[in-house]
Amino acid sequence: MPKVSVIVPVYNVEKLLERCLNSVLNQSFQDFELLLIDDGSKDSSGQICDNYAKKDQRVRVWHIPNGGQSAARNLGIDNVYGTYIVFIDSDDFVELYMIEYMVNTIKKYNSDIVQCSFTNLYKNTEKFKQDKIIEQKIGSKDFLELFLTKWDSNLFWNKLFKREVIENVFFKEGRCIDDEFFTYKCVINSKSIVTSNKIVYNYRMRKSGVMKSESSQKQILKDRVDYLYERYEIVRKIYKDLDKDFLEHLLTYYLIISKDYYVDEKLLDYMKNNLKSIKGKIIT
């Protein structure tokens, strides 16, 4: 059995895919499998995946009708063999020491998740040298509190997960937002998380015409309304002393969303219905 399962959903990234795959296959840590899920690509991405599978037995490929990245990642989760799981987006690439560092760190602290740092890639971005690496082990409850102040806590592609904390946790399909419905549930399933400022991931900011459309912007707002409410309901049942902080966070962002350019009466009514069940808490 491989130590690590790397899940990469692939869709129309023929110009960037090879750099991503090479950054995985050339890792200093070699005990892993690479799961490539071709999500109905219309360019040569699917063929590129097959070519890599022919050259390297650690690569497994699925070709599926286009259903979105969440569906592709869920297929990957259903087919992993590794002790640990990491997710990488096919238009990004990782440092060659990433898996080795993350595996060593999660074992060093006997933790369930390790979160590392990353760079945002823009044109002419230059890397900088890190002088000091800071690692910290914290409990899952304390890490949940970071969700209220540190946006990168929500991310999943900057983390390595023990396989057991992902069991029965899947990405919500049909959503524009992936992270928020997934990561906090894995944190709840864990006992401790290690945070590190070591840069291991290179995140590429790409402009997408689809994501900039009005329908997508409205779906993103709907996703945020749903995950904020869902997360609040789940967290407060497990950690009652976090109720107030997560409620205030929910109300703050509902107010922000209500002023968004793309909000409509339908979504406002939907938000009001969500708040009816906690009306007494709001008054208090």
Side-chain angles (χ1 to χ4, degrees):
M1 293 292 183
K3 194 78 170 178
V4 178
S5 295
V6 182
I7 298 175
V8 180
V10 177
Y11 180 70
N12 290 352
V13 284
E14 59 182 4
K15 294 181 180 179
L16 301 172
L17 183 56
E18 290 192 5
R19 182 169 191 180
C20 173
L21 301 186
N22 289 336
S23 74
V24 177
L25 294 173
N26 292 322
Q27 288 286 306
S28 57
F29 184 96
Q30 289 285 299
D31 186 11
F32 64 85
E33 62 173 352
L34 175 57
L35 289 74
L36 303 179
I37 299 88
D38 171 31
D39 187 30
S41 295
K42 297 176 182 178
D43 62 5
S44 63
S45 297
Q47 184 59 53
I48 293 172
C49 292
D50 289 337
N51 291 341
Y52 273 82
K54 290 176 183 177
K55 295 185 292 184
D56 196 314
Q57 62 182 3
R58 294 171 300 175
V59 180
R60 293 192 284 152
V61 180
W62 287 260
H63 299 282
I64 60 175
N66 180 249
Q69 289 194 341
S70 294
R73 292 190 184 99
N74 286 338
L75 177 62
I77 291 173
D78 279 333
N79 288 277
V80 295
Y81 293 128
T83 304
Y84 304 104
I85 299 175
V86 64
F87 301 93
I88 299 173
D89 286 347
S90 56
D91 52 351
D92 301 332
F93 63 96
V94 296
E95 298 298 328
L96 299 183
Y97 52 76
M98 183 191 81
I99 297 178
E100 180 179 18
Y101 175 74
M102 295 181 99
V103 169
N104 288 342
T105 303
I106 204 170
K107 291 170 67 176
K108 173 183 174 182
Y109 291 93
N110 189 27
S111 192
D112 299 308
I113 301 173
V114 58
Q115 171 182 286
C116 291
S117 192
F118 58 92
T119 55
N120 282 313
L121 292 180
Y122 301 93
K123 287 185 178 180
N124 302 322
T125 297
E126 293 185 7
K127 291 190 177 182
F128 58 93
K129 183 179 179 181
Q130 286 187 284
D131 295 322
K132 186 176 181 181
I133 303 303
I134 301 173
E135 300 169 349
Q136 182 182 16
K137 179 179 179 179
I138 58 178
S140 58
K141 178 185 170 184
D142 292 332
F143 192 85
L144 280 173
E145 292 188 82
L146 296 179
F147 279 70
L148 306 179
T149 57
K150 295 184 178 294
W151 67 272
D152 58 339
S153 302
N154 286 291
L155 302 175
F156 58 83
W157 41 258
N158 64 339
K159 296 175 177 64
L160 177 82
F161 301 87
K162 268 189 180 177
R163 183 176 171 180
E164 51 261 39
V165 305
I166 292 184
E167 289 189 7
N168 301 317
V169 179
F170 293 94
F171 291 90
K172 284 211 171 185
E173 300 181 17
R175 302 283 186 167
C176 289
I177 296 176
D178 290 307
D179 312 68
E180 287 86 346
F181 291 100
F182 178 82
T183 310
Y184 82 93
K185 294 175 184 175
C186 298
V187 172
I188 288 174
N189 286 344
S190 67
K191 293 180 180 178
S192 64
I193 297 92
V194 176
T195 62
S196 170
N197 68 334
K198 188 174 181 65
I199 295 173
V200 302
Y201 195 99
N202 298 284
Y203 175 73
R204 193 183 302 276
M205 298 290 291
R206 288 203 300 158
K207 294 180 180 179
S208 170
V210 175
M211 292 302 289
K212 289 163 63 177
S213 68
E214 181 176 348
S215 61
S216 292
Q217 292 299 321
K218 288 186 174 182
Q219 182 62 53
I220 289 171
L221 290 180
K222 173 66 163 50
D223 291 351
R224 285 176 177 156
V225 167
D226 282 344
Y227 91 74
L228 285 164
Y229 184 76
E230 175 195 279
R231 188 181 65 184
Y232 166 68
E233 285 292 302
I234 291 177
V235 169
R236 75 183 182 92
K237 289 176 182 177
I238 299 172
Y239 298 109
K240 290 182 171 56
D241 54 336
L242 295 182
D243 189 327
K244 181 176 180 292
D245 290 339
F246 272 81
L247 177 58
E248 288 181 354
H249 188 265
L250 180 150
L251 294 175
T252 299
Y253 276 86
Y254 267 28
L255 181 60
I256 293 172
I257 291 169
S258 72
K259 305 297 183 183
D260 192 278
Y261 176 81
Y262 290 100
V263 76
D264 55 26
E265 290 298 323
K266 183 178 178 181
L267 183 59
L268 287 173
D269 288 340
Y270 183 77
M271 293 165 65
K272 291 175 184 177
N273 286 331
N274 277 356
L275 295 176
K276 284 181 178 178
S277 64
I278 52 176
K279 184 177 180 181
K281 288 179 175 292
I282 296 172
I283 294 172
T284 303

